[in-house]
């Protein structure tokens, strides 16, 4: 058994991610301020000003330029980082397809926030889920510890030569970005061994090439097919890196999905993001009443871990998905992806839409929904908006 010295502190989510970025030692950063991400940018600027992080922070006039700046630096061989939220993520969208399509390694921390109109600064997942087809790996944190751990793992996954894809790490705006929680941090030496400097370039300066030229149809489809294979192949790499991180941190890591009390469960919540903690508490309360319920937490949204989901839900009678975003005419995005993953399994999928635009959701909401299901009050889609 390996004994790991624990360094325990407390940080808000934005500072925990900034601390992980400092330890990852990127050479180039470009981040445009936007609520609720701004305090992360301020902390990174402090690290650079004090000399704790030796990096170039490129000042830009908007998020599109922020991603364009780190895109160029990453192609030239630098380890890079950016961050954003909500409308800023929308403003980045055009560049996200360039970065994903060219399979440029980088990490983007997204403090999730609802989209206009109407204008709001509170949390939901519509911004994050709207980017699910941009060829980026997408991870979602449950708490501040997850946000720190995932940021370090994201750099390693992105730069793994079996993957070479950009990674987005989503964490709920205000709920995590501005909440102080207990945090175990790794020492710098351990992080350096886990995440050594990037040692490969996408271009050879002795044999220059044209980056971003037009592709004829045969090449275009071949490039997309190779990206699909890399994305699918990343599932094994994500789980491998998760196991490696578990050894150096001394804390359990779960790879693509985490099961909580799933083994003998009749019904299971499916969640992603910060409210997983609320669902976990609801499961504890219901288990104390003798009810056989569980929780499946999705740590990775892209690539969608359908194989692990099928395995985890084997034997359950039904699942209750909680979506903090909605696709009009289609339904909860997570609910429909779960339906697709377990198609023809005979498992009921009930969709709950809640927490839109920051509307409060607590363990009691999860508990009440599951109690209704256990009493036979099943549904296809239910909005918690009263």
């Amino acid at each position: 058994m390996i004994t790991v010295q624990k360094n325990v502190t407390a940080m808000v989510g934005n500072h925990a991610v900034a601390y992980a970025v400092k330890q990852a030692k990127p050479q180039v950063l470009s981040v445009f301020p936007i609520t609720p991400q701004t305090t992360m940018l301020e902390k990174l600027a402090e690290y650079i000003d004090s000399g704790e992080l030796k990096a170039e922070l490129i000042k830009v006039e908007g998020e599109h330029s922020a991603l364009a700046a780190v895109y160029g630096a990453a192609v030239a061989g630098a380890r890079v980082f950016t961050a954003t939220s909500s409308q800023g993520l929308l403003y980045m969208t055009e560049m996200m397809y360039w970065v994903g399509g060219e399979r440029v390694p980088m990490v983007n921390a997204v403090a999730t926030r609802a989209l206009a109109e109407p204008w709001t600064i509170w949390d939901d997942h519509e911004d994050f889920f709207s980017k699910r087809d941009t060829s980026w790996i997408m991870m979602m944190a449950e708490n501040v510890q997850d946000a720190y751990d995932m940021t370090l793992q994201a750099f390693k996954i992105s730069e793994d030569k079996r993957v070479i894809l950009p990674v987005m790490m989503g964490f709920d705006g205000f709920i995590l970005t501005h909440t102080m929680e207990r945090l175990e941090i790794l020492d710098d030496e351990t992080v350096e061994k886990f995440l050594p400097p990037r040692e490969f370039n996408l271009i050879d300066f002795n044999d220059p090439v044209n980056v971003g030229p037009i592709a004829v149809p045969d090449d275009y489809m071949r490039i997309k097919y190779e990206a699909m294979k890399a994305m699918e192949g990343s599932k094994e790499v994500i789980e491998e890196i998760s196991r490696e991180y578990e050894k150096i941190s001394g804390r359990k890591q779960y790879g693509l999905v985490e099961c909580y009390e799933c083994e003998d469960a009749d019904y299971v919540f499916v969640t992603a993001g910060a409210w997983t903690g609320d669902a976990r508490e609801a499961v504890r309360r219901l288990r104390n009443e003798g009810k056989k319920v569980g929780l499946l937490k999705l740590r990775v949204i892209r690539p969608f871990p359908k194989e692990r989901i099928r395995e985890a839900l084997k034997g359950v009678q039904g699942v209750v998905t909680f979506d903090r975003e909605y696709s009009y005419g289609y339904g909860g995005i997570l609910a429909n992806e779960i339906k697709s993953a377990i198609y023809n399994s005979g498992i009921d999928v009930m969709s709950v839409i809640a927490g839109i635009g920051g509307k409060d959701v607590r363990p009691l909401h999860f508990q009440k929904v599951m109690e209704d299901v256990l009493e036979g009050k099943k549904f296809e889609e239910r909005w918690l908006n009263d």
Side-chain angles (χ1 to χ4, degrees), residues 21-257:
V21 171
K22 177 174 76 83
Q23 291 186 303
K25 298 181 178 177
Q27 289 96 16
V28 180
L29 297 81
S30 188
V31 184
F32 191 78
I34 182 170
T35 302
Q37 162 268 102
T38 304
T39 58
M40 182 201 307
L41 168 60
E42 291 170 348
K43 180 56 71 176
L44 287 167
E46 286 177 19
Y47 286 142
I48 292 171
D49 184 58
S50 66
E52 294 177 75
L53 173 59
K54 300 187 187 309
E56 184 74 25
L57 177 59
I58 301 175
K59 296 173 184 172
V60 290
E61 75 284 3
E63 289 83 355
H64 185 280
S65 299
L67 189 51
V70 293
Y71 161 63
V75 168
R79 177 173 291 163
V80 305
F81 173 80
T82 188
T84 190
S85 178
S86 187
Q87 309 300 123
L89 185 62
L90 298 189
Y91 201 23
M92 276 186 175
T93 300
E94 197 255 351
M95 284 307 305
M96 291 191 71
Y97 283 92
W98 280 95
V99 171
E102 287 189 21
R103 298 177 55 190
V104 178
M106 68 169 65
V107 175
N108 183 358
V110 177
T112 61
R113 187 186 117 181
L115 299 171
E117 174 72 2
W119 189 247
T120 175
I121 60 169
W122 286 280
D123 177 48
D124 72 24
H125 296 163
E126 191 175 1
D127 56 349
F128 189 76
F129 273 79
S130 74
K131 299 295 162 282
R132 61 192 185 280
D133 295 324
T134 54
S135 305
W136 285 59
I137 292 172
M138 300 170 67
M139 310 174 81
M140 280 210 85
E142 174 186 348
N143 47 43
V144 171
Q145 186 71 63
D146 255 2
Y148 170 83
D149 294 339
M150 282 184 178
T151 300
L152 289 174
Q153 292 176 54
F155 279 105
K156 193 172 180 76
I157 293 164
S158 179
E159 295 176 8
D160 190 291
K161 290 183 180 176
R162 296 166 291 176
V163 178
I164 308 183
L165 283 166
V167 179
M168 265 197 293
M169 192 286 294
F171 63 131
D172 289 68
F174 291 113
I175 297 173
L176 296 184
T177 58
H178 287 64
T179 300
M180 184 167 289
E181 295 182 357
R182 180 185 185 277
L183 177 68
E184 293 181 15
I185 55 174
L186 302 178
D187 61 69
D188 291 348
E189 185 180 357
T190 300
V191 173
E192 194 161 347
K193 287 178 183 172
F194 173 73
L195 190 61
R198 178 181 155 184
E199 292 180 345
F200 65 91
N201 288 338
L202 298 179
I203 56 175
D204 182 351
F205 289 101
N206 295 317
D207 185 17
V209 295
N210 186 1
V211 176
I214 190 169
V216 297
D218 284 349
D219 287 341
Y220 187 94
M221 187 152 180
R222 176 181 56 77
I223 290 166
K224 294 297 181 184
Y225 180 69
E226 292 297 326
M228 180 276 292
K229 288 199 298 183
M231 187 68 80
E232 286 299 311
S234 72
K235 293 176 180 176
E236 184 178 340
V237 175
I238 291 168
E239 301 223 86
E240 178 186 303
I241 289 174
S242 180
R243 289 191 294 271
E244 183 183 349
Y245 193 85
E246 180 175 315
K247 287 181 183 173
I248 64 168
S249 67
R251 278 179 282 103
K252 182 67 180 173
Q253 302 290 309
Y254 293 93
L256 298 165
V257 302

